[in-house]
Amino acid sequence: MTADVSLGRDGLTHNMLNDIHNHWKHGEGVRVKCLGVPTVDMQNVCRELEDKTGGLIIHRHGGQLILYRGRHYHPKKRPVIPLMLWKPAEPIYPRLIKTTIEGLTVQETKEMRKKGLHAPVLTKLAKNGYYASLVSMVRDGFLADELVRIDCKGLPKSDYRKIGVKLRDLVPCVLVSFDKEQIIVWRGKDHDESIQDNMHKAFPSVLQLESAAGENEQEEASSESVAGENEHGEKEETSVDCSSDEWSEISSSDNVPDDK
């Protein structure tokens, strides 16, 4: 049985690293269940897991990963990870929502925030959900409207603020407001659809990567089946050729007159 480890809103912690190495003593793989804020950027989650643990992700489906310890893993040579018996204090970050948005006046900023609260909801986020497709959804939403509103009712304030920061960096976009448990983002004055298309190509979503991997597996399976059919056909042809040669020899021997 593969042991389970949960990766939540705090991301990869010291205690989680220690749990992974403890499970690797008894099994080669660990199933990591990713939920909450970190799933907005699953590529970063996978990269951090492999870098910090020294393992290898051999399977990924949605928010579930299989982390393999490696063939030459030795429990006694594992890194020493100190236990954290308390949660460290959160660092002080600069203010996310400014009084005026860059490039706009105070009045234009107020009007945009009012307009954003009345914009149609793009999606509603569930608590401790899986948000891997959120970035691509926001990019697609900007093709139809300059403002996108995401409903975050029921989520802790720190969670949807972290999600807003990730969207600002990954989409990219401009944060407008977090009022009334809503994430309102603006695509900006210099928005260009061609730039969004390039971002889609340069940074594909996790769902696109998973679908591409599935298509590659299907292509490999079909190519293997075609190769098997070709080999089978070649064997049949050689057998037919051999049989034809034998029949020609038999027929030639029958045509030779008897000396007696």
Side-chain angles (χ1 to χ4, degrees):
M1 294 293 291
T2 304
D4 293 341
V5 176
S6 297
L7 187 146
R9 68 179 65 174
D10 296 328
L12 186 59
T13 61
H14 287 68
N15 294 345
M16 183 179 173
L17 286 174
N18 193 49
D19 291 340
I20 290 173
H21 284 285
N22 287 336
H23 288 310
W24 275 348
K25 290 181 181 178
H26 310 288
E28 295 182 344
V30 174
R31 182 186 293 109
V32 182
K33 296 182 178 179
C34 305
L35 298 172
V37 178
T39 60
V40 177
D41 189 3
M42 281 299 296
Q43 296 181 26
N44 182 56
V45 171
C46 297
R47 183 169 57 251
E48 288 294 321
L49 280 172
E50 291 183 342
D51 291 344
K52 301 296 183 182
T53 62
L56 180 66
I57 295 174
I58 58 175
H59 177 72
R60 182 179 68 188
H61 179 71
Q64 295 190 3
L65 313 171
I66 301 296
L67 191 62
Y68 176 57
R69 67 182 183 183
R71 181 181 297 178
H72 305 291
Y73 177 80
H74 198 284
K76 294 184 179 180
K77 296 181 180 180
R78 54 176 284 186
V80 179
I81 303 170
L83 290 176
M84 296 185 67
L85 302 179
W86 61 89
K87 186 177 180 180
E90 293 186 0
I92 300 175
Y93 295 105
R95 188 174 181 179
L96 295 177
I97 305 299
K98 299 181 180 180
T99 306
T100 57
I101 299 174
E102 186 177 356
L104 300 178
T105 62
V106 177
Q107 187 63 29
E108 290 175 345
T109 302
K110 291 181 179 179
E111 292 177 357
M112 182 168 291
R113 285 172 181 160
K114 291 180 181 179
K115 182 180 177 182
L117 290 173
H118 294 88
V121 177
L122 179 67
T123 184
K124 187 180 187 305
L125 300 183
K127 187 176 181 180
N128 293 328
Y130 179 64
Y131 313 135
S133 60
L134 186 60
V135 174
S136 59
M137 290 176 65
V138 173
R139 289 174 182 167
D140 294 338
F142 282 150
L143 299 177
D145 195 358
E146 63 176 355
L147 289 171
V148 167
R149 179 164 68 100
I150 302 170
D151 190 359
C152 302
K153 290 182 180 178
L155 270 70
K157 185 177 181 180
S158 60
D159 282 9
Y160 61 77
R161 290 176 72 88
K162 291 176 182 177
I163 292 173
V165 173
K166 288 182 177 292
L167 291 177
R168 180 194 64 184
D169 298 335
L170 295 174
V171 173
C173 57
V174 180
L175 292 174
V176 176
S177 175
F178 290 120
D179 294 341
K180 298 182 179 180
E181 298 182 342
Q182 309 290 314
I183 299 176
I184 302 173
V185 291
W186 178 44
R187 64 186 181 186
K189 283 186 175 181
D190 301 330
H191 174 77
D192 189 359
E193 294 183 2
S194 61
I195 296 176
Q196 291 290 333
D197 294 337
N198 293 332
M199 291 294 294
H200 273 290
K201 295 177 181 178
F203 302 99
S205 63
V206 176
L207 298 178
Q208 292 174 349
L209 293 175
E210 291 178 354
S211 62
E215 292 177 357
N216 292 333
E217 291 178 357
Q218 292 179 357
E219 290 178 358
E220 291 177 358
S222 61
S223 61
E224 289 177 358
S225 62
V226 171
E229 292 177 357
N230 293 334
E231 291 178 357
H232 184 66
E234 290 176 357
K235 291 180 180 179
E236 290 182 351
E237 290 178 358
T238 53
S239 62
V240 171
D241 294 338
C242 293
S243 61
S244 61
D245 294 338
E246 292 176 356
W247 281 109
S248 61
E249 291 177 359
I250 294 171
S251 60
S252 61
S253 61
D254 292 338
N255 294 330
V256 174
D258 191 2
D259 294 337
K260 295 179 181 180

